[in-house]
């Protein structure tokens, strides 16, 4: 998955008031897009998880005019990443604004993770320029990753939204006939098959989020919940928790068409192959585990 980097790029997200050096990465975002330089363009008909694009991110030395407002983000191994908070910057030669969602298909993986996580922090910084309590202009804390109001002393921390990814399975007498629910979201130009998913609501434990989202999206009751693993998903400010569960009772689907374009039960032999090579997402990993491993995926 996107955050599973080798030891060379171990994440250190402890905040320090570092000054950017010429060789440090210095990112800037505009309207959901990140300054990037595409160094290789993959095949136009490539699968979403294996499209072949390679990209680079700008370093401080690439800017002819240094951005005025810069803050340290995190380090991946020896590589340090900073964010330019200026509304506009003069784009370095060879760099252009690329959709962060497009970058999720590109390599190298550590720069993909950096761009996604930086985009999450960029949205947080820009959404909190003024205090939500008193309306005063806010400031960045000098020695920690906080936004503070100098007028009323309110402190704002980075936004992280918990959510679930749910693989609902149905066991059959013959393991070859075991099936999984795949869904496709409504209203999206590119709608890959996915798993049931949703955000956790106020006062709700993750297990209840699983039960509620499955009931709301596809009309099923579930049992035997098994936590699989978690994933930070900076594209939507989310911390995802992956669960396997089994259908409890009737398996006929009642699809919420306001949320979903469609939903279906798939056996392993019937499953679409569009997630093969998806190196980024928890959804892709869980779908591929079922397709290649069957019930051993959640046992």
């Amino acid at each position: 998955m996107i955050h599973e980097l080798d030891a060379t790029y171990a994440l250190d997200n402890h905040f320090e008031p570092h000054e950017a050096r010429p060789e440090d990465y210095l990112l800037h975002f505009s309207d959901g897009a990140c300054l990037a330089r595409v160094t290789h363009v993959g095949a136009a008909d490539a699968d979403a998880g294996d499209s072949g694009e390679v990209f680079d991110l700008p370093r401080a030395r690439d800017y002819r005019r240094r951005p005025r407002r810069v803050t340290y983000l995190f380090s991946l191994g020896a590589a340090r990443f900073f964010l330019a908070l200026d509304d506009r910057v003069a784009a370095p030669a060879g760099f252009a604004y690329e959709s962060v969602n497009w970058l999720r298909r590109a390599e190298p993986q550590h720069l993909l993770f950096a761009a996604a996580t930086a985009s999450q922090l960029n949205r947080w910084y820009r959404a909190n320029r003024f205090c939500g309590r008193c309306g005063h202009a806010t400031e960045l804390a000098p020695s920690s990753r906080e936004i503070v109001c100098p007028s009323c002393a309110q402190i704002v921390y980075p936004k992280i939204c918990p959510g679930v990814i749910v693989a609902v399975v149905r066991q059959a007498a013959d393991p070859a006939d075991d099936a999984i629910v795949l869904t496709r979201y409504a209203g999206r130009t590119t709608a890959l098959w996915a798993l049931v998913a949703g955000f956790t609501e106020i006062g709700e434990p993750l297990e209840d989020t699983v039960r509620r989202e499955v009931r709301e999206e596809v009309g099923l009751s579930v049992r035997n919940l098994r936590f699989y693993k978690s994933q930070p998903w900076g594209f939507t400010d989310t911390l995802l928790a992956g669960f396997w569960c089994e259908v409890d009772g009737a398996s006929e689907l009642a699809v919420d068409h306001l949320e979903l374009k469609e939903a279906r039960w798939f056996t392993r032999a019937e499953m679409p192959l569009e997630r093969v090579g998806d190196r980024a997402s928890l959804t892709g990993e869980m779908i591929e585990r079922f397709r290649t491993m069957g019930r051993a995926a959640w046992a």
Side-chain angles (χ1 to χ4, degrees):
M1 294 187 290
I2 182 176
H3 68 289
E4 294 179 330
L5 307 173
D6 64 43
T8 305
Y9 298 111
L11 172 66
D12 181 355
N13 60 9
H14 177 69
F15 181 86
E16 293 286 350
H18 294 304
E19 293 290 331
R21 303 169 303 199
E23 67 271 22
D24 291 330
Y25 289 99
L26 179 52
L27 282 60
H28 187 261
F29 295 83
S30 178
D31 295 327
C34 178
L35 275 177
R37 176 173 58 200
V38 179
T39 58
H40 180 267
V41 178
D45 59 349
D47 289 336
D50 189 24
S51 54
E53 284 90 352
V54 179
F55 76 106
D56 196 7
L57 296 173
R59 298 177 187 264
R61 63 181 176 231
D62 294 320
Y63 292 85
R64 286 189 302 170
R65 186 181 305 116
R66 177 75 174 269
R68 293 187 303 105
R69 300 184 64 227
V70 173
T71 188
Y72 172 70
L73 294 177
F74 47 78
S75 296
L76 297 178
R80 304 199 309 178
F81 293 83
F82 291 76
L83 176 66
L85 294 172
D86 303 45
D87 287 335
R88 294 180 178 82
V89 300
F95 289 85
Y97 288 98
E98 303 288 351
S99 164
V100 177
N101 284 328
W102 177 86
L103 291 176
R104 65 180 284 186
R105 305 183 302 167
E107 295 285 352
Q109 184 177 346
H110 74 287
L111 292 187
L112 166 60
F113 176 67
T117 307
S119 72
Q120 179 176 357
L121 286 167
N122 177 72
R123 286 190 296 275
W124 172 67
Y125 281 122
R126 293 184 182 279
N128 290 280
R129 292 180 171 182
F130 296 91
C131 178
R133 177 189 289 166
C134 71
H136 197 280
T138 57
E139 299 175 353
L140 305 189
S143 58
S144 58
R145 184 169 289 120
E146 301 165 2
I147 292 174
V148 297
C149 177
S151 178
C152 71
Q154 176 164 247
I155 300 175
V156 184
Y157 297 97
K159 176 184 175 183
I160 301 174
C161 303
V164 298
I165 298 290
V166 189
V168 183
V169 297
R170 180 182 65 194
Q171 292 198 50
D174 183 346
D177 294 327
D178 288 349
I180 189 170
V181 174
L182 298 185
T183 70
R184 291 206 289 180
Y185 289 108
R188 298 191 182 181
T189 54
T190 302
L192 299 179
W193 287 101
L195 299 175
V196 172
F199 291 104
T200 300
E201 300 290 350
I202 294 296
E204 185 176 64
L206 293 171
E207 293 83 357
D208 283 352
T209 304
V210 169
R211 298 182 185 98
R212 176 181 55 77
E213 287 291 346
V214 174
R215 183 176 61 253
E216 290 178 354
E217 291 194 1
V218 293
L220 299 177
S221 296
V222 293
R223 64 185 181 186
N224 297 337
L225 278 64
R226 301 171 180 84
F227 174 73
Y228 173 55
K229 64 168 65 170
S230 61
Q231 178 183 30
W233 192 245
F235 302 99
T236 55
D237 307 336
T238 312
L239 177 61
L240 294 170
F243 286 87
W244 296 91
C245 58
E246 299 172 32
V247 65
D248 184 15
S251 61
E252 182 178 355
L253 301 180
V255 180
D256 175 7
H257 287 289
L258 293 177
E259 182 81 15
L260 302 176
K261 179 180 180 180
E262 59 183 319
R264 280 182 50 194
W265 286 103
F266 287 85
T267 65
R268 294 172 65 191
E270 296 169 336
M271 292 183 70
L273 302 179
E274 61 190 14
R275 292 289 187 174
V276 176
D278 181 348
R279 297 176 298 277
S281 72
L282 179 61
T283 296
E285 180 171 303
M286 294 176 73
I287 289 173
E288 275 298 283
R289 279 180 68 86
F290 179 83
R291 189 184 69 84
T292 58
M293 299 172 59
R295 64 179 62 173
W298 72 88

